[in-house]
Amino acid sequence: MIELAFLAIVGAFVGWLMRRKRQHRSTAPAAGEAVGLPCMLKWPAQGSRWKAGRLLIDGAGPLAWEAAWGRRTTVLPAGLRQTGLRPPTPREAMAVNPRSAIVECESPEGQVLIAVMPEELDAATKALATG
């Protein structure tokens, strides 16, 4: 019985931390703070596979993407604009989270696909609209 109570307390604490972090990510760009949205990127310049990382949103600078492994930062192409929004195909769902949304973007360098979770979708589309 004590174990269940302990697990409930730990679960509530983890849920509170996650909700707080998500709330900070949604309000930070409006306050001018830099924030990193967890996402997956598929861009021909980076290869043909989905790569995990974070979309770095800084109010002053251009949009950038930081790889989860190796912490390599890549500036996304200038003129990047959103052209569509769709759910992942069954084949893509094996590489990205099936609940995620795929934001289709166009740039002078070609198509860029960004997979974000529904909780982060609003912040990502706002960043693409202003960036």
Side-chain angles (χ1 to χ4, degrees):
M1 184 69 179
I2 293 173
E3 294 88 4
L4 291 176
F6 178 73
L7 287 176
I9 291 170
V10 169
F13 181 68
V14 169
W16 176 75
L17 284 175
M18 291 175 65
R19 185 173 48 253
R20 193 177 116 192
K21 186 70 170 175
R22 187 179 323 126
Q23 190 175 33
H24 178 262
R25 282 194 300 254
S26 66
T27 59
E33 298 177 35
V35 67
L37 297 177
C39 69
M40 293 191 76
L41 181 80
K42 186 175 182 180
W43 181 22
Q46 294 292 319
S48 62
R49 301 178 75 173
W50 286 98
K51 295 189 170 59
R54 299 183 314 150
L55 183 64
L56 301 177
I57 302 169
D58 184 9
L63 286 176
W65 180 77
E66 180 182 61
W69 308 107
R71 299 292 185 197
R72 186 183 71 227
T73 302
T74 305
V75 175
L76 294 177
L80 187 67
R81 62 182 174 82
Q82 179 182 348
T83 58
L85 181 66
R86 61 178 175 82
T89 64
R91 184 175 178 156
E92 288 173 331
M94 290 190 287
V96 301
N97 190 316
R99 278 188 349 125
S100 65
I102 308 289
V103 180
E104 297 175 332
C105 302
E106 282 294 326
S107 73
E109 297 178 26
Q111 185 180 37
V112 177
L113 300 175
I114 303 171
V116 295
M117 293 304 289
E119 299 85 22
E120 314 295 343
L121 182 61
D122 189 42
T125 55
K126 283 180 185 177
L128 287 167
T130 60

